[in-house]
């Protein structure tokens, strides 16, 4: 199962805003369609937006007929525009930086060769992301026991990556082994990635999944119904402080109080070792209408009420039991251990 595909030089994506009611595949024909697909969360999830943006650049380059100097300038400009689309998930900036480096490294070649190099790089990033998901699952499965009940927040599965997911890849692997893993999915207001996407994904995979509203998670922990928590990440600072979908922090606080292990699952491309702590992570703020309405369809608040709508929050490292990466499981002290495992990235 996958959420984007590149076939016969054409880029397609599953429009996630239409899920779970309809599975609609769309073609991304140019850079502005790619830009809106990412901005409007038709394509979403930290690793996936990086992979998709890389393909967008390659597709744009393929159809761009300009003299070499102008061609290079235009591609470089589109890379910067795409980077600004969603500021929190560092995977987007990471993948686009790889494309920019490829562009510059090949700038002495003709435009046909540059186009090929960009496409090769996008395909490399795509294949690598699939592999990273598999490796996280392999390292992380040792944290899961037969019969575990796991709580997750937002969507960190095959809809959010090119492969099986970050947090959900562990659940898929564990369930394949034990056949008895249970999941509680937080609905994840305001855009309901848990209700619309995680519940859909897990049902497709026939995983025993129960949907809850976000404000029910602490109650379940208090009742002893949650064995562990697995979430993905959008950016992890050198200290281990982790940005993920808004609401993750409150889940982590409740988990700490109730002594439920709280695990973050993320590939190396989600780590940003250039920032020491989470206070430096830029937090995307989105349209107030996402809060005043349910998915833009049903108004649930006075039309002009003031709204605050941060899309992510930062969970301090001290609330995180371990971070499962594609290079191994990282335990505190994160400052030291992240650098040891990922220092070379
Ligand atoms: O705004 P979104 O839906 O792109 O946010 C996604 C998340 O916060 C995910 O938890 C994160 O990217 C998980 S990594 C697969």
């Amino acid at each position: 199962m996958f959420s984007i595909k590149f076939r016969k030089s054409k880029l397609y994506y599953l429009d996630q805003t239409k899920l779970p009611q309809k599975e609609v595949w769309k073609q991304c024909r140019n850079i502005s369609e790619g830009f809106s697909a990412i901005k409007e969360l038709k394509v979403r999830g930290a690793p996936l937006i990086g992979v998709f943006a890389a393909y967008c650049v390659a597709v744009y380059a393929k159809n761009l007929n300009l003299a070499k100097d102008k061609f290079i300038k235009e591609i470089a400009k589109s890379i910067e525009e795409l980077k600004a689309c969603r500021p929190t998930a560092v995977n987007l900036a990471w993948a686009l930086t790889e494309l920019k480096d490829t562009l510059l490294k090949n700038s002495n070649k003709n435009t046909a060769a540059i186009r090929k190099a960009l496409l090769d790089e996008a395909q490399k990033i795509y294949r690598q992301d699939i592999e990273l998901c598999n490796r996280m699952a392999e390292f992380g499965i040792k944290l899961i026991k037969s019969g575990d009940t796991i709580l997750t927040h937002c969507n960190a599965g095959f809809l959010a990556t090119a492969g099986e997911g970050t947090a959900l890849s562990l659940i898929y692997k564990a369930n394949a082994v034990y056949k008895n893993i249970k999941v509680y999915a937080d609905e994840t207001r305001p855009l309901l990635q848990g209700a619309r996407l995680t519940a859909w994904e897990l049902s497709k995979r026939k995983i025993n999944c129960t949907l809850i509203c976000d404000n029910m998670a602490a109650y379940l922990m208090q009742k002893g119904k949650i064995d562990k928590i697995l979430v993905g990440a959008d950016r992890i600072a050198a200290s281990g402080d982790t940005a993920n979908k808004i609401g993750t922090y409150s889940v982590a606080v409740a988990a700490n109080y109730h002594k439920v292990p709280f695990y973050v699952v993320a590939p190396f491309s989600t780590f940003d070792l250039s920032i020491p702590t989470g206070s430096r992570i830029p937090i995307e703020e989105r349209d107030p209408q996402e809060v005043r309405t349910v998915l833009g369809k049903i108004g649930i608040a006075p039309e002009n009420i003031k709204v605050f709508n941060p899309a992510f929050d930062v969970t301090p490292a001290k609330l995180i039991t371990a971070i499962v990466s594609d290079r191994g499981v990282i335990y505190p002290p994160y400052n030291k251990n992240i650098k040891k495992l990922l220092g070379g990235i």
Side-chain angles (χ1 to χ4, degrees), residues 91 99 121 132 195 197 242 257 264 283 316:
N91 310 62
L99 269 275
E121 186 60 30
L132 295 176
L197 309 177
T242 294
Y257 184 78
V264 170
I283 299 295

Side-chain angles (χ1 to χ4, degrees), residues 41 44-47 86 153-157 160-161 166 193 232-234 244-245 312:
L41 272 61
R44 49 148 296 283
R86 297 206 68 194
H153 189 74
C154 194
N155 173 265
T161 61
T166 56
Q193 287 92 333
D234 290 80
N244 191 49
K245 178 55 55 193
F312 300 93

Side-chain angles (χ1 to χ4, degrees), residues 260-335:
V260 178
F262 181 93
Y263 298 112
V264 170
V265 188
F268 78 90
S269 48
T270 304
F271 288 78
D272 182 355
L273 304 191
S274 74
I275 52 170
T277 67
S279 63
R280 297 265 299 276
I281 300 177
I283 299 295
E284 176 184 2
E285 279 187 40
R286 295 186 57 89
D287 189 336
Q289 282 304 90
E290 291 179 354
V291 176
R292 290 190 197 109
T293 68
V294 176
L295 302 175
K297 289 173 190 141
I298 304 167
I300 52 166
E303 268 177 27
N304 293 318
I305 192 78
K306 274 192 285 177
V307 161
F308 179 47
N309 186 17
F312 300 93
D313 57 28
V314 176
T315 298
K318 63 174 179 237
L319 298 181
I320 299 170
T321 311
I323 303 174
V324 179
S325 81
D326 56 287
R327 316 254 166 112
V329 180
I330 311 170
Y331 291 94
Y334 292 115
N335 256 326

Side-chain angles (χ1 to χ4, degrees), residues 14-324:
L14 180 61
D15 182 346
Q16 298 192 27
T17 60
K18 302 275 190 268
L19 290 173
Q21 284 82 8
K22 287 189 210 141
E23 287 175 44
V24 181
W25 281 88
K26 292 186 176 155
Q27 190 186 344
C28 175
R29 287 162 303 184
N30 52 50
I31 208 81
S32 67
E33 285 182 359
F35 188 91
S36 343
I38 296 172
K39 190 93 198 150
E40 293 162 23
L41 272 61
K42 292 174 177 165
V43 176
R44 49 148 296 283
L48 188 69
I49 56 176
V51 176
F52 180 73
Y55 269 127
C56 286
V57 172
V59 167
Y60 185 48
K62 179 178 170 282
N63 301 321
L64 187 66
N65 285 312
L66 290 175
K68 194 170 98 174
D69 283 359
K70 283 195 176 152
F71 173 90
I72 291 176
K73 246 191 189 161
E74 180 55 28
I75 297 293
K77 190 177 116 216
S78 71
I79 286 175
E80 292 313 313
E81 281 167 8
L82 276 170
K83 262 189 201 171
C85 247
R86 297 206 68 194
T88 304
V90 75
N91 310 62
L92 179 66
W94 170 80
L96 288 167
T97 303
E98 298 289 298
L99 269 275
K100 179 91 171 271
D101 290 349
T102 303
L103 178 72
L104 299 180
K105 256 191 258 158
N106 289 278
S107 58
N108 57 339
K109 301 186 180 154
N110 63 30
T111 50
I114 300 176
R115 286 189 187 102
K116 181 174 178 319
L118 290 172
L119 181 57
D120 288 349
E121 186 60 30
Q123 275 173 325
K124 188 180 117 196
I125 291 171
Y126 173 79
R127 282 193 291 266
Q128 183 185 47
D129 193 58
I130 296 174
E131 184 51 32
L132 295 176
C133 294
N134 294 338
R135 280 200 237 145
M136 287 182 277
E138 266 160 39
F139 283 118
I141 189 161
K142 65 177 181 202
L143 302 173
I144 302 177
K145 291 208 292 280
S146 175
D148 266 354
T149 298
I150 296 166
L151 175 80
T152 190
H153 189 74
C154 194
N155 173 265
F158 66 75
L159 289 169
T161 61
E164 290 284 89
T166 56
L168 295 195
S169 75
L170 272 59
I171 291 175
Y172 294 140
K173 189 152 181 110
N175 199 58
V177 175
Y178 303 124
K179 320 264 185 251
N180 57 5
I181 300 300
K182 289 189 222 93
V183 178
Y184 279 98
D186 279 352
E187 64 172 351
T188 319
R189 266 288 283 163
L191 294 182
L192 303 174
Q193 287 92 333
R196 293 185 304 105
L197 309 177
T198 298
W200 177 83
E201 252 201 70
L202 294 175
S203 308
K204 279 232 158 202
R205 288 294 179 86
K206 311 223 174 323
I207 307 271
N208 183 342
C209 170
T210 304
L211 177 65
I212 57 168
C213 298
D214 299 328
N215 50 7
M216 298 169 187
Y219 174 70
L220 285 177
M221 290 182 224
Q222 188 185 46
K223 292 283 163 195
K225 288 188 182 298
I226 307 293
D227 295 308
K228 52 204 56 159
I229 292 152
L230 292 180
V231 296
D234 290 80
R235 193 185 293 232
I236 302 174
S239 60
D241 295 346
T242 294
N244 191 49
K245 178 55 55 193
I246 191 75
T248 303
Y249 172 44
S250 38
V251 172
V253 169
N256 184 261
Y257 184 78
H258 294 291
K259 305 202 173 7
V260 178
F262 181 93
Y263 298 112
V264 170
V265 188
F268 78 90
S269 48
T270 304
F271 288 78
D272 182 355
L273 304 191
S274 74
I275 52 170
T277 67
S279 63
R280 297 265 299 276
I281 300 177
I283 299 295
E284 176 184 2
E285 279 187 40
R286 295 186 57 89
D287 189 336
Q289 282 304 90
E290 291 179 354
V291 176
R292 290 190 197 109
T293 68
V294 176
L295 302 175
K297 289 173 190 141
I298 304 167
I300 52 166
E303 268 177 27
N304 293 318
I305 192 78
K306 274 192 285 177
V307 161
F308 179 47
N309 186 17
F312 300 93
D313 57 28
V314 176
T315 298
K318 63 174 179 237
L319 298 181
I320 299 170
T321 311
I323 303 174
V324 179

